[in-house]
């Protein structure tokens, strides 16, 4: 059995295997790094509220407890018919059952010049490394940072950048629509007030180009040393042409049992997938929730048992950090904000990490 990507759901699969091995199955995890950086804590890392290590789950001990093998590598092609995955180093890894949890990708060419000049929030390892370099640069001279993206990640990162670099830096955000579009009005208002308090300029419009010194919004040029791109998620390009059933955007279509709509021996969870029957938002929360169901269904599939449908929750608790230890909490239309909410978010995030570090 091949687990591709150490995403949220696959961590739960490894933990479940650690509690009870799967007799007769050889399990391999293929993933890009020896640790999994937890995205929920990345804004806190940028804001210097956490060390990078606080947000990291070392994979080797988890894999070892699961009785599995760890192979560091990056998938560049999948052939579900021939049951093989090709890695960037040319290796070909065969499987009987494949489970994909690689998260989304970011199209580096969606904005002109971005590939050369922008800092992309994914892959998260690279983002964190580049941010640390940016921080060193900020000691030498005041920087102008522009975050492109009005969703949760863009919002949290903007406030974290402000918190990290302080008032010496100029921090702006480009928003091509309402701020936090997936959130209720009350949260959007709270978010707008938080940005204002942090002296963040919100620039309405679509970012069309990025260069070494500017970002462009149509004909308007805005001075910028560090453009950060948090512009949603794209499907990994290696899925196209794989033969797997994909939706119009290119994400893996799965049903209630988390199996591919075209290849029942391929499972997919998290942001790389899209449910045919339940179009829930792409977020870590939903990927986490799919974990236990994925663990159960992989076990049953291998044993020839009946698979169980996974029902994603109709709504989720969302906690948006404000960079300074405070957060906005929301559940449906309800929302609240402050230090207690910040403590709640930290507690949930730290518990997630602890769950996969514990022996
Ligand atoms: C800054 C930021 C903050 C966020 N905060 C939150 C939050 O607080 N709450 C929330 O719910 N969501 C949050 N999100 C969204 C969240 O990150 C995603 O929804 C979530 O990571 C998706 O999880 P996943 O399990 O699908 O994959 P991921 O967590 O992205 O994991 C993917 C794994 O696959 C590996 N991988 C990737 N490509 C390959 C490949 N080709 N071959 C092999 N392995 C590969 C990666 O190394 C990684 O181990 C945030 C996103 C960002 C960018």
């Amino acid at each position: 059995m091949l687990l591709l990507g150490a995403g949220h759901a696959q961590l739960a699969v490894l933990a479940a295997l650690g509690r009870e091995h799967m007799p007769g199955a050889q399990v391999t995890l293929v993933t890009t790094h020896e640790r999994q950086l937890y995205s929920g804590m990345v804004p806190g890392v940028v804001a210097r509220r956490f060390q990078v290590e606080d947000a990291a789950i070392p994979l080797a001990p988890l894999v070892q407890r699961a009785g599995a093998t760890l192979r560091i590598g990056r998938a560049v092609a999948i052939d579900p018919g021939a049951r093989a995955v090709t890695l960037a180093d040319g290796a070909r890894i065969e499987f009987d059952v494949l489970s994909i949890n690689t998260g989304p990708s970011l199209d580096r060419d969606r904005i002109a010049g971005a590939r050369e000049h922008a800092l992309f929030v994914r892959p998260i390892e690279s983002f964190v490394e580049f941010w640390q370099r940016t921080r060193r640069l900020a000691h030498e001279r005041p920087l102008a940072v522009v975050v492109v993206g009005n969703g949760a990640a863009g919002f949290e990162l903007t406030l974290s950048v402000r918190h990290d670099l302080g008032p010496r830096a100029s921090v702006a955000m480009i928003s091509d629509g309402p701020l936090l579009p997936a959130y209720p009005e009350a949260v959007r208002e709270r978010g707008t007030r938080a940005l204002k308090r942090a002296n963040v300029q919100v620039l309405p419009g679509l970012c069309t180009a990025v260069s070494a010194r500017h970002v462009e919004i149509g004909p308007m040029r805005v001075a910028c040393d560090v453009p950060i791109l948090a512009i949603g998620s794209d499907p990994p390009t290696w899925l196209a042409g794989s033969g797997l059933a994909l939706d119009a955007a290119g994400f893996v279509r799965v049903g209630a049992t988390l199996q591919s709509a075209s290849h029942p021996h391929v499972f997919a969870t998290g942001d790389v997938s899209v449910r045919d029957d339940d179009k829930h938002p792409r977020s870590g929360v939903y990927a986490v929730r799919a974990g236990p169901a994925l663990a159960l269904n992989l076990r049953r599939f291998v044993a020839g048992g009946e698979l169980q449908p996974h029902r994603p929750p109709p709504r989720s608790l969302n906690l948006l950090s404000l960079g300074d230890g405070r957060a906005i909490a929301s559940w449906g239309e309800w929302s609240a904000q402050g230090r207690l909410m910040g403590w709640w978010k930290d507690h949930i995030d730290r518990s997630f990490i602890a769950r996969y570090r514990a022996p």
Side-chain angles (χ1 to χ4, degrees), residues 45-328:
V45 170
V46 169
R48 267 191 280 187
R49 299 187 50 254
F50 305 119
Q51 300 292 318
V52 179
E53 292 68 35
D54 296 333
I57 298 167
L59 294 171
L62 198 59
V63 167
Q64 196 183 13
R65 283 196 294 274
T69 307
L70 177 61
R71 168 72 157 88
I72 300 301
R74 188 165 53 84
V76 290
I78 290 187
D79 186 340
R83 301 191 182 222
V85 167
T86 307
L87 305 187
D89 61 11
R92 186 181 146 90
I93 302 197
E94 297 188 343
F95 60 82
D96 296 305
V97 185
L98 170 67
S99 176
I100 310 172
N101 183 201
T102 56
S105 179
L106 272 183
D107 179 356
R108 286 170 144 59
D109 298 314
R110 216 192 306 167
I111 296 178
R115 183 181 280 277
E116 297 80 28
H117 302 291
L119 224 148
F120 287 82
V121 293
R122 282 179 183 278
I124 285 176
E125 280 279 352
S126 319
F127 173 71
V128 167
E129 192 194 320
F130 280 115
W131 181 253
Q132 283 163 334
R133 284 194 220 169
T134 306
R135 189 180 274 162
R136 286 195 287 276
L137 200 64
H139 283 301
E140 292 162 22
R141 62 185 173 96
L143 293 181
V145 180
V146 177
V147 178
V148 185
N150 56 352
F155 172 78
E156 288 193 311
L157 285 175
T158 304
L159 289 171
S160 300
V161 166
R162 164 59 79 213
H163 195 72
D164 187 12
L165 303 188
R168 225 162 74 98
S170 126
V171 182
M173 179 196 216
I174 299 183
S175 179
D176 67 346
L179 178 72
L180 298 167
Y183 286 77
E185 187 57 33
V187 174
R188 296 212 287 263
E189 282 170 13
R190 288 179 190 278
T192 305
R193 283 198 296 272
L195 291 172
K196 204 167 175 181
R197 259 197 318 272
N199 195 22
V200 170
Q201 194 185 6
V202 180
L203 306 163
L206 191 66
C207 178
T208 44
V210 170
S211 64
R213 295 256 175 273
H214 298 97
V215 292
E216 292 176 23
I217 307 171
M220 187 169 84
R221 283 178 128 202
V222 179
C224 172
D225 303 298
V226 187
I228 297 180
L229 261 54
I231 48 173
S233 44
D234 301 302
T237 47
W238 43 265
L239 284 173
S242 65
L244 284 174
L246 308 176
D247 75 350
F251 293 99
V252 183
R253 284 177 45 214
V254 297
T257 54
L258 309 174
Q259 288 165 288
S260 146
S262 54
H263 295 79
H265 62 288
V266 177
F267 292 70
T269 42
D271 285 11
V272 77
S273 66
V274 56
R275 286 274 297 249
D276 278 343
D277 58 332
D278 186 323
K279 302 264 183 280
H280 59 72
R282 283 206 165 74
S283 83
V285 174
Y286 283 92
V288 168
R289 289 297 191 95
L294 177 66
L296 179 74
N297 281 348
L298 286 174
R299 195 179 287 276
R300 289 197 177 168
F301 187 83
V302 169
E306 194 184 330
L307 306 200
Q308 214 174 65
H310 165 59
R311 287 192 186 82
R315 61 167 72 102
S316 63
L317 171 70
N318 295 303
L319 288 151
L320 293 165
S321 80
L322 300 180
D324 57 358
R326 294 175 307 133
I328 302 173

Side-chain angles (χ1 to χ4, degrees), residues 14-32:
L14 290 168
L17 288 172
R19 290 189 293 273
E20 188 187 350
H21 284 191
M22 206 183 280
Q26 271 187 344
V27 183
T28 303
L29 170 71
V30 171
T31 193
T32 50

Side-chain angles (χ1 to χ4, degrees), residues 6-8 11 31 33-38 55-59 125:
H8 295 68
L11 294 175
T31 193
H33 295 85
E34 299 207 344
R35 63 183 185 180
Q36 170 72 352
L37 283 185
Y38 175 48
I57 298 167
L59 294 171
E125 280 279 352

